[in-house]
Amino acid sequence: MRRLTRDDVTRAVPGADDVTIAGIIGTGATADELAEAQAWLINDEPLMNAGKPLASGRVGELIDILSALEPDEDHDKEAGPVVI
């Protein structure tokens, strides 16, 4: 399998900045590994139910990089009223 190119990453991860793109390419991952990492991030339950071991290696690295791009749920919540 061939390694990811910049075009591959920008198609698969729209809006990724240059540092993120370089990090993804720097893992040496293939398009299949990037797709697997994205599948784990979307919903890991079907993969675990199918007996797939938890992601490791390059897929695990990709998951770490991609998860940093996801908005933080706690950060998106509005602050409530201050109670004194």
Side-chain angles (χ1 to χ4, degrees), residues 4-22:
L4 289 168
T5 65
R6 180 177 179 77
D7 288 338
D8 295 331
V9 176
T10 56
R11 276 193 302 269
V13 188
D17 61 24
D18 289 339
V19 173
T20 302
I21 293 169

Side-chain angles (χ1 to χ4, degrees), residues 26-43:
T27 65
T30 65
D32 289 341
E33 290 168 327
L34 179 57
E36 183 179 344
Q38 289 176 312
W40 275 107
L41 286 171
I42 291 168
N43 187 0

Side-chain angles (χ1 to χ4, degrees), residues 46-61:
L47 295 170
M48 290 172 62
N49 290 342
K52 198 125 168 96
L54 292 176
S56 62
R58 291 189 293 225
V59 175
E61 288 180 62

Side-chain angles (χ1 to χ4, degrees), residues 25 80 83:
I25 293 170
V83 179

